[in-house]
Amino acid sequence: MSERETAGSGEASATDVDRTTAARSEHPSAVSDPASGRMVVPAAIEPPSDDVARAPATAALPGEHRGGFQREMTQPLPVAPPLEVHPDPARASDPQAHWIHPPPSLPRSAGWGLLFGILGLTLSFFVGWGFPVGLIGLVLAILALRRPWERRETAVWALALCAASLVFSAGWLWWAHSQGALFA
């Protein structure tokens, strides 16, 4: 039998065993087996790739220079010169000051909802057709409750007054409907 036939049939030849033994003895994590006297390499550990640098023979002290980096992507970046925080006013050629614009004002609806709630409730004491004012206030109060920058107390008061104005307006409209043929 030739070496190829032996390897194909599952039996290992003597040259194959010698090659694997020699390769395993060079492996850094190889351990000698006391029963057989051979070097055994754990199966889960692979040998390091070519781009990994070997550890130095002596341990370096913390902060000691270790000779640089091996890979291009981990090289340190060059240090930029410091920026002038307060430039000299005598050297300034452009004396114009560029002011920062104030942030845009956020929409406010809690106060408007409260105003519409008060107006809607006042109107609903006298007539039933003031419910659109209460609906507008109700929408504004709900929008105010959903916005984190609005005052929550104002929005809750607006919501309560608008709901009360809608109840009073509905009461007026129901009473007017029961009194005569208003909608017929």
Side-chain angles (χ1 to χ4, degrees):
M1 259 191 202
S2 68
E3 285 184 30
R4 286 186 183 168
E5 292 172 354
T6 306
S9 65
E11 300 174 11
S13 66
T15 56
D16 290 339
V17 172
D18 292 339
R19 282 188 209 140
T20 57
T21 306
R24 287 183 178 162
S25 64
E26 294 173 4
H27 196 277
S29 62
V31 181
S32 64
D33 184 22
S36 65
R38 285 197 257 165
M39 298 298 285
V40 177
V41 177
I45 299 176
E46 297 177 358
S49 61
D50 295 337
D51 66 337
V52 176
R54 291 212 175 262
T58 61
L61 294 175
E64 185 179 341
H65 183 65
R66 297 183 182 157
F69 296 92
Q70 299 294 326
R71 295 182 184 171
E72 182 178 340
M73 297 302 287
T74 58
Q75 289 177 343
L77 296 174
V79 177
L83 299 174
E84 289 185 28
V85 178
H86 301 287
D88 186 16
R91 289 190 300 161
S93 61
D94 185 20
Q96 285 183 334
H98 299 284
W99 300 100
I100 298 174
H101 296 290
S105 62
L106 300 172
R108 304 284 182 181
S109 60
W112 286 105
L114 185 62
L115 177 72
F116 278 106
I118 292 171
L119 287 176
L121 187 61
T122 305
L123 259 164
S124 70
F125 286 147
F126 300 108
V127 292
W129 295 105
F131 75 91
V133 178
L135 281 177
I136 291 171
L138 187 73
V139 168
L140 290 173
I142 290 171
L143 286 175
L145 283 173
R146 295 178 57 96
R147 295 178 177 156
W149 61 86
E150 294 276 0
R151 292 190 56 190
R152 191 162 184 81
E153 300 85 16
T154 308
V156 169
W157 272 103
L159 187 68
L161 291 177
C162 290
S165 75
L166 288 175
V167 168
F168 277 112
S169 291
W172 269 107
L173 291 176
W174 177 77
W175 180 81
H177 176 66
S178 67
Q179 292 298 316
L182 185 65
F183 297 109

